[in-house]
Amino acid sequence: MMKTFSIGGIHPNDSKISKDCRIEVLPLPSKVFISVAQHLGAPATPVVKVGDQVKVGQVIAEPAGFISAYVHSSVSGTVKSIGPRKDLAGNNMTHIEIDVEGDEWVEGVDLTDTLVTAIPEDNKAILDKIKMCGVVGLGGATFPAHVKLCPPPGKKADCLILNGAECEPYLTSDYRIMLERSREIVVGAAIMKQVLGGCPAVIGIEENKPEAIKAMTEAVAELQKSAKGYDGISVMTLKKKYPQGGEKQLIDAVMGRQVKSMGLPIDVGAVVQNVATSLAVYEAVQKNMPLITNVLTVTGDCLPVEKQHNYKFRIGMPLSYVAEVAGGVPEQAAKIISGGPMMGKAIANLEATTVKGSSSLLYLTAEQTVRGAESACIRCGKCADACPMGLEPFLLNKLARNGMMDELEENAVQDCIECGCCLYSCPANIPLLDIIRLAKGDVIRIIRGRSAKS
Amino acid sequence: MEKLLVSPSPHLHTSTSTKSLMRDVVIALLPAVVVSVLFYGWSELLVLGVSIASCVLLEYVITKYLLHKPCSVGDYSAVVTGLLLALNLPSTTPWWIVFIGAVVAIGVAKMTFGGLGQNLFNPAIVGRVFLLISFPAQMTDWTRPQGFIGGGLDSISGATPLGLAKEGGIAAIEGLDYMDMLFYNIGGSAGELSAIALIAGFIYLLCRRVIKPYITLSILATVAIFSGIFWAIDPATYTDPVFNLLTGGLLLGSIFMATDYVTSPMSNWGGVIFGVGIGLITMLIRYFGAYPEGVSFAILIMNSVVPLINKVCHAKKYGRA
Amino acid sequence: MTTTIIWTIAILTVLGAVLAVVLYIVAEKFKVEEDPRIDEVEKVLPGANCGGCGQAGCRAFAQFCVESSPNLDKCFCPVGGNEGMQKVAAVLGVEVAVKEPQVAVVRCNGTCENRPRTNEYGGYQSCRVKAALYSGDTGCSFGCLGCGDCVAACQFGAISMDPVTGLPVVDEEKCTACGACVKACPKAIIELRNKGRRNMRVFVSCVNKDKGAVARKACKAACIGCGKCAKVCPFDAITVENNLAYIDFTKCKLCKKCVAECPTGAIHAVNFPVIKPKPEAAPAAPAAPAAQPVKKEE
């Protein structure tokens, strides 16, 4: 019996059209614009000046707080400007503009393909490297990885879960790296596992990716045979259900434990990292390579097969450039999404640039994505059946529209993970998540204010 | 692509809509409709036609001219109400009584509460009960008109099996063939005629995930257990479980009326409580009440406690033991 | 039969009497002592329960007034206005200072024409939802989002969306300056400003803090922070901060020199008597409907 999370969930068509496209390397543009806010937490502080010569992998912005991350230059060249530029939501954010001149890397980065399996022994040095290389979670939240890998005092990790579920429809970047970089991912897992005190590591992959399951299982077996430190790593096949890749859902599926409301995964002994993060950790620790590249999928039903791509990109490339290289924006595309169609962001500004966490350029047609007109709630309860947190969106929607904060908190609006299952499944097209998301923010602010007072 | 469309996530949507759900209910009712038309002929067609037409018309007129809301006729909900109302009436009901039933169902039970999704009571049942109380003679005229097939049916039967049992005790219903009743021979409202047709609709609804089985099954189980206990104690006075399951519109009520989204509880456990309540009240009315059958009353009574059930029963939340 | 009736009547009468006594005792015992003046103050209040005073409703405001009496400086009912506050003061037997009447002012002139749409919004029609998602469907990330949260927030029907410009319009006659729209606007576009002499006002109808070129590119009527208005102002009423000019309504003497100076027409002068038809008056057109005297319906 395959495992999955216990409450709710939906089964959208998985549409992994681009799954057979090998990862290609995107050519360098003439200019990059590197954002200083590519992670959760405080935007980094630029440490270069206009006119500076930078090399690939050089630090160009430093963390501005505990939850923040280093940002490195993804190209070599001259810093042209540092100033506000609109991100994909159209809001101003400081970007560092660099004119590309050649491709000269900083010293010490191992650019070969050789697999380094020996894991350094000094955990502190490993964590330092992860931090210095600006590694962040690449599963969507871009939470600084080194912070997650240092459990607070008194808490111990019982299990490291590698998220290879890729439950969002269309996305195939994780799938491709699991096929093409499987051994590197396993090494990354072994490194993180060691840092966490040697707990077992489970790589969770959904059943709709049998090739990835096979590749990862083989990689684990091979490394366990040939090198030290790879015991306790296993691959777990999960039933296909969205949102399997949600942190809380994955912990429930793999460990059978549930994180308490407003709690952290580490409270139940779990640390969840994406497979792409694991690859970034491998690159950082074994190859000294800072996080300046990632893989993104260019896909969509309106895109012909030959224009489907999985690209290895460098941060700071304008999305319009990526789209151009991939063959242009299709005529039928009404909406372009960065990320998956369930939780990704609609792009308002195609001049925005790639960031560490970019995972796709997804073209959706008007037919697929335009919402139908809202009609009356018929109380069918489909939203409540779909909610993976066991909430009652129909009720939260009503409470939120009436501004009933106490009742919203009682009915756990703060537990919402914004997965979109409720809005997806509503037959009356009620904008449940739009409204609940706001209420959630308000209630969390109230809760924080209260705990700050006491 | 002219201007990029921007909206909050999720960017995909299920193909299920209010309209498709209601259409599925209509499809699920079709077997029962076909059977009733075949056996009751033209007069049943008239009842169905008048009921559906007047429900749709009233819905249109009221939403457009009284409530000034966007017209909700397109979502098939009025068709469902009309169908259910017709199937809950004897096939001999005069057209004007059917129309009054439709006025009460749509005008009073649905629109006064604000239309689709707002009503506390199931409109079709309110219409039916109103007619039952106002026109007792016509509403219990179980004469069977000539149908398109099945001329050999008892065409002068004056009462339903439950009515017979109420009047003449257990002796009056001896000789009823349960196999007959399963297929086409349950006396009473048009929709009750064939248990198999109704069960086929139930299976369709379950397969299409339109309804969940909790409410229906808990009603049927409660009725079976309750009547089973009484029957086991005193088979000379009380009717047996199979008889109770097959008669009095229990299947029609438990599959199509009690499971109405708007007037039933949202949670699974709430549905079970709701179903058990309906089953108990139905059997109490049948065994001890003045009316021979009580499914409609039971559903109405339990409709009124749905808000309370919703308040008490919530879904199991993640991470909150 | 008769006995049944008599018994029924007797029992009900006794029951009624007993319950009446119980109710009386409970009412006496749990009586809440309240200042009788609260009731009196509440009576002279408009009873809109809008919360514009900062209290939970008229009753709460009445209590607040009684508590803060004799100093009523912090109490102001925007609906009743100065007249209403005089009545409250009379009830409490104290003096209250007359406050300058205010009105809500929409500081955005990003009409469809001035500010072309760069994308299309397809989510729930709420400014708050839209603002949380992104910068809006134009190049300007500061201006009006046009979903009408302010219209929904107004309890007096004083704000409506102009379908042509896509901007909210304030009906000055109906506006009570309760501030509900100010709170509802996620972009902080609406401001309460003094009504001014004969309702005449001069204000910067823009809140864009982008640099001049960026702002101008996004919207033809944007304030580009050039500072010409501040230089020409004889009363030091204009400050330019973060590429945005602001006119202090307490200092402005309505000379209108800045209006003529502004290169983008971002400064609006409303309700001034028309002396001669000026071409510059064109940018102020969207504000004009509000400027026309509105006939009271009562």
Side-chain angles (χ1 to χ4, degrees):
Chain A
M1 176 89 183
M2 267 180 282
K3 287 191 177 178
T4 186
F5 54 98
S6 52
I7 306 172
I10 54 171
H11 301 89
N13 191 351
D14 67 356
S15 309
K16 306 275 189 190
I17 316 166
S18 54
K19 76 185 179 65
D20 295 326
C21 307
R22 291 191 66 86
I23 299 172
E24 303 154 72
V25 178
L26 267 178
L28 287 178
S30 57
K31 235 176 223 212
V32 294
F33 302 86
I34 300 172
S35 167
V36 296
Q38 309 203 21
H39 46 264
L40 199 81
T45 322
V47 290
V48 287
K49 295 186 306 293
V50 175
D52 281 3
Q53 289 289 319
V54 292
K55 290 180 182 170
V56 188
Q58 184 180 329
V59 172
I60 51 174
E62 279 180 348
F66 177 60
I67 305 207
S68 188
Y70 282 96
V71 177
H72 303 76
S73 174
S74 59
V75 292
S76 59
T78 318
V79 176
K80 188 84 184 299
S81 73
I82 300 170
R85 188 184 154 86
K86 293 194 190 302
D87 62 9
L88 60 80
N91 293 317
N92 282 335
M93 179 45 67
T94 306
H95 283 67
I96 299 168
E97 178 186 1
I98 303 172
D99 275 341
V100 181
E101 294 147 11
D103 194 26
E104 196 184 329
W105 288 68
V106 288
E107 300 269 308
V109 178
D110 178 358
L111 290 171
T112 62
D113 280 344
T114 333
L115 184 74
V116 185
T117 55
I119 302 163
E121 278 174 15
D122 184 357
N123 283 346
K124 204 172 161 299
I126 293 176
L127 280 171
D128 258 4
K129 261 190 184 169
I130 293 175
K131 184 178 172 188
M132 290 309 292
C133 288
V135 179
V136 298
L138 298 174
T142 59
F143 191 83
H146 66 277
V147 181
K148 236 192 204 177
L149 291 172
C150 302
K155 303 235 166 95
K156 208 183 132 294
D158 297 335
C159 185
L160 166 70
I161 302 175
L162 274 208
N163 183 358
E166 201 162 54
C167 58
E168 282 263 16
Y170 292 99
L171 303 194
T172 55
S173 53
D174 287 354
Y175 173 77
R176 284 319 303 184
I177 59 165
M178 283 194 284
L179 285 190
E180 297 180 29
R181 314 287 304 271
S182 24
R183 290 178 305 169
E184 286 89 336
I185 293 173
V186 177
V187 177
I191 294 170
M192 290 192 279
K193 178 171 99 76
Q194 182 193 308
V195 171
L196 288 169
C199 62
V202 177
I203 306 166
I205 307 173
E206 280 191 343
E207 58 184 320
N208 61 343
K209 295 178 261 297
E211 298 93 334
I213 295 168
K214 188 162 157 269
M216 292 305 291
T217 315
E218 280 170 9
V220 171
E222 189 191 322
L223 283 162
Q224 276 173 345
K225 232 181 278 165
S226 64
K228 264 203 320 189
Y230 292 88
D231 299 327
I233 301 179
S234 59
V235 176
M236 184 185 276
T237 310
L238 302 168
K239 225 172 132 193
K240 178 183 165 308
K241 189 160 85 168
Y242 176 86
Q244 191 95 255
E247 197 170 53
K248 288 177 173 161
Q249 277 60 41
L250 199 59
I251 293 169
D252 187 13
V254 172
M255 299 169 76
R257 298 182 189 173
Q258 298 194 339
V259 184
K260 287 261 168 321
S261 174
M262 304 292 281
L264 292 172
I266 194 68
D267 297 341
V268 293
V271 173
V272 182
Q273 293 284 11
N274 191 272
V275 286
T277 319
S278 187
L279 182 59
V281 166
Y282 165 82
E283 303 265 15
V285 176
Q286 309 291 67
K287 302 274 194 177
N288 271 329
M289 166 96 76
L291 181 53
I292 51 168
T293 66
N294 193 1
V295 177
L296 67 68
T297 306
V298 181
T299 185
D301 285 323
C302 51
L303 214 55
V305 184
E306 70 274 10
K307 287 188 183 171
Q308 308 266 344
H309 294 283
N310 288 299
Y311 279 129
K312 181 173 183 178
F313 67 89
R314 296 205 190 165
I315 57 173
M317 294 174 167
L319 294 173
S320 55
Y321 167 78
V322 178
E324 221 38 65
V325 175
V329 177
E331 196 56 37
Q332 305 96 300
K335 193 192 260 178
I336 309 179
I337 295 161
S338 168
M342 294 301 292
M343 289 187 77
K345 277 195 166 137
I347 298 170
N349 167 28
L350 208 53
E351 292 309 311
T353 55
T354 52
V355 290
K356 292 173 183 177
S358 294
S359 60
S360 86
L361 266 189
L362 168 61
Y363 302 113
L364 292 180
T365 60
E367 201 176 55
Q368 280 178 299
T369 188
V370 172
R371 293 188 191 169
E374 182 185 352
S375 59
C377 172
I378 53 167
R379 307 171 56 77
C380 61
K382 294 206 181 288
C383 52
D385 289 342
C387 180
M389 296 303 286
L391 310 182
E392 292 155 303
F394 63 92
L395 179 65
L396 299 176
N397 169 51
K398 254 187 201 155
L399 295 173
R401 288 193 192 209
N402 291 313
M404 296 163 84
M405 292 300 157
D406 294 342
E407 287 81 356
L408 280 167
E409 192 183 339
E410 257 169 54
N411 287 290
V413 73
Q414 65 274 23
D415 290 1
C416 173
I417 57 165
E418 304 183 20
C419 63
C421 289
C422 52
L423 213 165
Y424 174 87
S425 54
C426 180
N429 291 313
I430 298 169
L432 293 163
L433 183 55
D434 293 6
I435 289 160
I436 292 170
R437 198 185 272 123
L438 273 191
K440 172 192 170 186
D442 291 344
V443 166
I444 286 182
R445 223 166 297 131
I446 292 171
I447 293 174
R448 295 242 167 91
R450 205 167 43 212
S451 54
K453 254 185 225 166
S454 61
Chain B
M1 190 199 77
E2 280 176 14
K3 283 176 202 152
L4 284 179
L5 184 65
V6 181
S7 60
S9 65
H11 306 289
L12 294 179
H13 202 270
T14 171
S15 55
T16 308
S17 64
T18 304
K19 193 172 161 179
S20 76
L21 289 172
M22 294 291 171
R23 201 168 43 208
D24 274 339
V25 176
V26 173
I27 293 170
L29 277 168
L30 279 182
V33 171
V34 169
V35 172
S36 67
V37 170
L38 282 182
F39 284 95
Y40 292 146
W42 290 108
S43 66
E44 176 60 20
L45 267 182
L46 182 73
V47 172
L48 279 166
V50 170
S51 177
I52 295 173
S54 37
C55 280
V56 171
L57 190 74
L58 283 164
E59 172 119 352
Y60 176 76
V61 170
I62 295 174
T63 45
K64 182 141 192 210
Y65 297 105
L66 282 177
L67 295 178
H68 303 291
K69 275 182 158 184
C71 183
S72 53
V73 166
D75 63 22
Y76 283 93
S77 63
V79 177
V80 171
T81 305
L83 259 180
L84 285 174
L85 179 67
L87 292 179
N88 266 295
L89 300 176
S91 51
T92 50
T93 317
W95 68 268
W96 54 275
I97 290 190
V98 178
F99 180 75
I100 292 174
V103 171
V104 174
I106 296 290
V108 178
K110 190 175 176 187
M111 289 304 169
T112 43
F113 288 91
L116 183 64
Q118 310 288 321
N119 49 303
L120 190 57
F121 299 101
N122 185 318
I125 299 190
V126 172
R128 192 259 158 120
V129 166
F130 178 83
L131 296 183
L132 189 63
I133 295 168
S134 312
F135 306 100
Q138 289 90 333
M139 285 294 289
T140 49
D141 173 14
W142 306 113
T143 316
R144 292 183 165 196
Q146 181 60 46
F148 298 122
I149 59 165
L153 283 181
D154 174 11
S155 59
I156 44 160
S157 168
T160 61
L162 272 174
L164 289 173
K166 196 95 204 173
E167 297 283 318
I170 206 87
I173 56 161
E174 261 172 31
L176 276 179
D177 184 349
Y178 289 158
M179 280 314 281
D180 258 13
M181 292 168 70
L182 198 56
F183 286 102
Y184 61 85
N185 203 5
I186 308 176
S189 304
E192 309 169 29
L193 194 61
S194 166
I196 286 288
L198 293 171
I199 292 168
F202 181 51
I203 292 169
Y204 177 78
L205 289 182
L206 287 183
C207 291
R208 297 278 297 165
R209 294 176 184 272
V210 175
I211 58 169
K212 287 182 278 179
Y214 304 99
I215 295 175
T216 310
L217 293 187
S218 56
I219 294 176
L220 298 180
T222 311
V223 167
I225 292 168
F226 190 92
S227 58
I229 293 171
F230 277 79
W231 183 63
I233 295 170
D234 187 2
T237 316
Y238 298 107
T239 47
D240 64 275
V242 181
F243 175 82
N244 275 302
L245 286 178
L246 291 177
T247 55
L250 185 75
L251 286 173
L252 183 64
S254 62
I255 295 169
F256 292 100
M257 321 276 268
T259 54
D260 169 30
Y261 288 144
V262 181
T263 55
S264 63
M266 310 287 281
S267 57
N268 297 347
W269 276 110
V272 172
I273 295 174
F274 181 69
V276 169
I278 292 176
L280 279 180
I281 297 172
T282 303
M283 286 317 297
L284 288 175
I285 296 177
R286 284 186 180 181
Y287 279 171
F288 310 111
Y291 277 93
E293 68 99 5
V295 180
S296 304
F297 292 104
I299 294 176
L300 278 191
I301 292 168
M302 289 310 289
N303 278 168
S304 66
V305 295
V306 164
L308 283 178
I309 296 176
N310 277 338
K311 210 156 200 167
V312 179
C313 295
H314 290 281
K316 191 169 159 279
K317 289 188 174 64
Y318 178 100
R320 290 171 185 249
Chain C
M1 187 68 185
T2 350
T3 36
T4 319
I5 294 171
I6 292 170
W7 270 111
T8 314
I9 293 173
I11 288 172
L12 284 175
T13 315
V14 173
L15 201 63
V18 170
L19 289 178
V21 172
V22 171
L23 272 178
Y24 177 77
I25 293 170
V26 171
E28 278 299 303
K29 186 150 184 177
F30 295 101
K31 196 155 97 181
V32 181
E33 287 296 338
E34 254 190 347
D35 196 321
R37 290 181 301 170
I38 296 177
D39 280 331
E40 287 172 46
V41 172
E42 198 187 354
K43 259 181 226 156
V44 300
L45 291 175
N49 276 321
C50 61
C53 51
Q55 302 297 323
C58 290
R59 177 85 192 167
F61 179 67
Q63 197 173 348
F64 181 65
C65 287
V66 170
E67 276 164 15
S68 35
S69 165
N71 180 8
L72 291 184
D73 286 353
K74 281 186 185 154
C75 312
F76 187 74
C77 167
V79 182
N82 283 318
E83 219 176 293
M85 284 316 291
Q86 293 303 338
K87 282 189 207 154
V88 172
V91 168
L92 296 173
V94 294
E95 291 283 314
V96 66
V98 173
K99 273 194 187 160
E100 188 79 26
Q102 291 193 314
V103 68
V105 171
V106 179
R107 294 179 297 166
C108 177
N109 197 23
T111 60
C112 305
E113 199 183 306
N114 286 338
R115 190 173 55 145
R117 267 45 183 167
T118 54
N119 60 68
E120 209 178 312
Y121 177 64
Y124 178 53
Q125 288 296 316
S126 149
C127 302
R128 273 197 77 199
V129 170
K130 198 171 170 181
L133 179 69
Y134 75 129
S135 65
D137 48 11
T138 68
C140 171
S141 52
F142 297 89
C144 177
L145 295 169
C147 292
D149 278 15
C150 49
V151 177
C154 185
Q155 302 201 7
F156 306 97
I159 306 190
S160 57
M161 294 304 287
D162 185 327
V164 178
T165 60
L167 295 172
V169 177
V170 179
D171 181 336
E172 293 182 16
E173 288 287 321
K174 288 186 186 161
C175 178
T176 60
C178 69
C181 51
V182 177
K183 279 183 212 141
C185 180
K187 295 286 187 183
I189 288 161
I190 306 179
E191 185 195 19
L192 293 182
R193 293 178 74 93
N194 281 355
K195 272 198 168 173
R197 181 158 48 91
R198 268 184 260 133
N199 269 352
M200 294 188 289
R201 282 186 301 281
V202 177
F203 62 95
V204 180
S205 185
C206 185
V207 290
N208 190 317
K209 288 178 183 150
D210 274 333
K211 277 192 184 140
V214 181
R216 185 67 189 265
K217 198 181 160 206
C219 177
K220 276 186 241 163
C223 169
I224 51 172
C226 63
K228 281 186 181 166
C229 50
K231 271 183 214 132
V232 82
C233 181
F235 309 103
D236 275 344
I238 304 180
T239 46
V240 179
E241 237 177 75
N242 295 325
N243 308 313
L244 178 64
Y246 178 78
I247 303 178
D248 185 342
F249 53 78
T250 55
K251 288 183 187 160
C252 175
K253 298 276 191 275
L254 305 174
C255 71
K256 291 204 286 178
K257 278 190 179 147
C258 52
V259 180
E261 199 65 30
C262 181
T264 60
I267 303 182
H268 287 193
V270 295
N271 295 341
F272 284 85
V274 183
I275 302 163
K276 52 182 177 183
K278 274 194 292 186
E280 296 95 62
Q292 285 158 5
V294 179
K295 277 176 198 133
K296 270 200 172 173
E297 278 165 26
E298 298 105 303

